[in-house]
Amino acid sequence: MSAIDLENQEKFQQLQKVIDEWKDKEGPLMPVLHSAQEIFGCLSLDVQKYISKELDIPVSDIYGVATFYSQFTLKPKGKYRIGVCMGTACYVKGAQAILDELKKVLDLEVGETSDDGLFTLDATRCLGACGLAPIMMINDDVYGRLKPEDVKGIIDKYRDK
Amino acid sequence: MDMIKVKIDGIEVEVPAGTTALEAARKANIDIPTLCYLKDINEIGACRMCLVEVEGARNLQASCVFPVADGMSIKTNTPKVRAARKLSLELILSNHDRKCLTCVRSQDCELQDLSKRLGVDDIRFDGERHDKPVDSFSPSIVRDPNKCILCRRCVSVCRNVQGIGVIGATERGFATMVEPVFNMSINDVPCINCGQCIIACPVGALREKDDIEKVWDALNNSNLHVVVQTAPAVRVALGEEFGMEMGTRVTGKMAAALRRLGFDRVFDTDFAADLTIMEEGHELLGRLQGGGKLPMITSCSPGWIKYCEHYYPEFLDNLSTCKSPHEMMGAIIKSYYAEKNGWDPANVFVVSIMPCTAKKFEAQRPELSAVGHPDVDVVLTTRELARMIKEAGMDLATLPDEEFDPALGDSTGAGVIFGATGGVMEAALRTVHEIVTGEPMENLEVHAVRGIEGVKEAEIQLGDLTLRAAIAHGTANAKALLEQVKSGEKEYHFIEIMGCPGGCVTGGGQPIVKAKTYMEMDPKVVRAKAIYDEDRDLPIRKSHENPSVIKLYDEYLGEPNSEKAHDLLHTHYTRRSVY
């Protein structure tokens, strides 16, 4: 077995553990999907098929949930996931200009991942830190009261990490 | 059951506790408009067409999911109600692809009906549209996402009634779609082509692949012998397309219409159903006596066959190897009948009129071409035949009653009942009983196998053997039955499975029944009654007594399950994956 297959097998074993834990509880799909995304980085068809079989939920239901919530992704995301809040407060405080600046600096459209696999750019719904508007998150780091001219410096920090 | 009293628009009605406001209103002869509602199948209160005012309640309520309480007063026709319903409808219309003129469901569309009924005389809102490509890759089902109104009726029937779930709602907000996963075509997901989604769709978002032009072309080609056959269930439903009451039998008028359309021979698939009973009955006896794989499961329903191939491949060896009746018919037409008439099979074009969309896929299976040409060239649904008859300017109701053509048009009551759930089982029993015991059954009508219960069981004495039989219709019921067989909880000798709930009478190719009609009658019951009436009226009611079938064996096939019969009338199956 190749190294990739082996790694994949280990991931499915991990997923099986999560499924076993949730299988007989009510509403197992969301927690299983969360874990699956953590384990695999995204919810591919193979992953959804596996969950479908184990939980006896049609793939179409799982896909429906996976595409409904923006925190789930069907394709692998970059190492750094940038989420620009487009909630009402941030929007009013100029989130669009932040997003436009990010697009320019990263040369990416919303939803795309950079070729080097470092950055994924997303526009998100309200992140719940309206007092700091406009904000963006890079993985778990929050950047508030942003101005477009802050963007490049922040991105460079991650590039050099 | 506790009865409660409610007032609907001032009219007092008594209804069982738990009744919805929608149903209670019908008792008061008030027809509340609905769109996403489909009785027992999709009751989700999503479309807001059925809003009513409930005295004392702050907001309008969706009557299809609102249970009434004792003493309640409900108003269904107030300015507030009318305005809210109309606004919801206008919003649905705002991003609907409003190409009614070219839509197959024009004049048979619940959305169009509602627009007229609620007085929509202008498109006030013009919403953003997606303009997505139409998915026409499947030989059976065409999906036009631009016409979808997101009512979820198809999703519910596929997921809950059929236990499959290959379509679902994806994304959210304006991007919401009802579609297969990962932008796949309906042709690339484990869909069984049953078409139950089509007959659940209130609009033209789901429809059969239209093959009418191919048939006109064939009829117009003087080099071809164009032969048509009609399935049992078509004759008890075709009349509905011409305004006749559900359950009207139009066998003779249908034969007349087909002849006038220009078909060279008008045959009856019932003949081949009798032939199926000869082959399948002997196959069952062979398996019972020779230790073959049991339970044997019927193979007439191509929806069920594809379901088995995808979801229960471990049962493929249990399937009867018999082709479905219309495929047997095609093989016989292109061999025996062509030889008798001195026709080159290459110039014989067989058209099957079926209550079924899955048969369109089936006809394309490469293994179903016994003499080097497809056994069946084109499958049309009951609906497509109705469209051809209308295009030709005929009104079915005014046509004379004519007969099928001789030989392959001869059939028995056993052949007819194939159209209802339990029918193949009953027809087989009539013949197998006589072969085993030498005596006809005391009562030809086996009521234990009739009716619309999801899974039926029967025990029939065949000499020393007590034959244990089971019947399931609709693939969710089939799944439940197969799981019991798999676990060893149940043991049977013979199982009949039909892909569609109710069997062929309510197949995916049958006339579309409006949601409102389902509240008054069950087509599964009404059309099946017509099938059983047809059986009762026929002089011969047992397959092995069909004189043309006897002659076919004498002149051509030899014995049932002979080598020649195997070459022409039997098939094999393909293991398929799930995605």
Side-chain angles (χ1 to χ4, degrees), chain A residues 43-46 48-49 56-61 63-65 67-70 74 125, chain B residues 155 159 164-173 179-184 479 578-579:
Chain A
L43 301 172
S44 66
L45 178 58
D46 280 342
Q48 293 189 34
K49 264 165 69 176
D56 195 22
I57 296 173
V59 175
S60 61
D61 276 20
Y63 183 82
V65 172
T67 54
F68 185 89
Y69 293 106
S70 54
L74 305 177
R125 294 180 169 77
Chain B
V155 176
R159 186 193 196 287
I164 294 172
V166 289
I167 37 174
T170 67
E171 303 288 341
R172 66 193 284 170
E179 59 183 352
V181 301
F182 286 92
N183 293 316
M184 289 182 190
K479 182 179 181 177
V578 177
Y579 291 96

Side-chain angles (χ1 to χ4, degrees), chain B residues 5-14 27-28:
Chain B
K5 283 185 180 147
V6 287
K7 269 191 176 162
I8 313 279
D9 295 339
I11 304 164
E12 193 171 90
V13 289
E14 209 177 273
K27 281 215 116 177

Side-chain angles (χ1 to χ4, degrees), chain B residues 292-307:
Chain B
K293 186 96 170 169
L294 292 172
M296 189 175 92
I297 311 179
T298 58
S299 55
C300 302
S301 163
W304 147 241
I305 292 299
K306 194 152 180 276
Y307 181 82

Side-chain angles (χ1 to χ4, degrees), chain B residues 481-494:
Chain B
L481 179 63
L482 293 177
E483 286 299 329
Q484 287 182 324
V485 172
K486 228 163 104 170
S487 70
E489 192 186 331
K490 297 272 188 181
E491 271 186 57
Y492 302 104
H493 299 107
F494 190 27

Side-chain angles (χ1 to χ4, degrees), chain A residues 26-77:
Chain A
E26 212 178 306
L29 186 56
M30 285 298 277
V32 168
L33 286 181
H34 272 292
S35 303
Q37 177 150 304
E38 264 171 43
I39 296 165
F40 291 92
C42 67
L43 301 172
S44 66
L45 178 58
D46 280 342
V47 171
Q48 293 189 34
K49 264 165 69 176
Y50 189 88
I51 296 171
S52 163
K53 199 156 169 253
E54 291 299 316
L55 295 181
D56 195 22
I57 296 173
V59 175
S60 61
D61 276 20
I62 297 173
Y63 183 82
V65 172
T67 54
F68 185 89
Y69 293 106
S70 54
Q71 72 265 41
F72 293 127
T73 172
L74 305 177
K75 287 190 203 136
K77 295 263 171 171

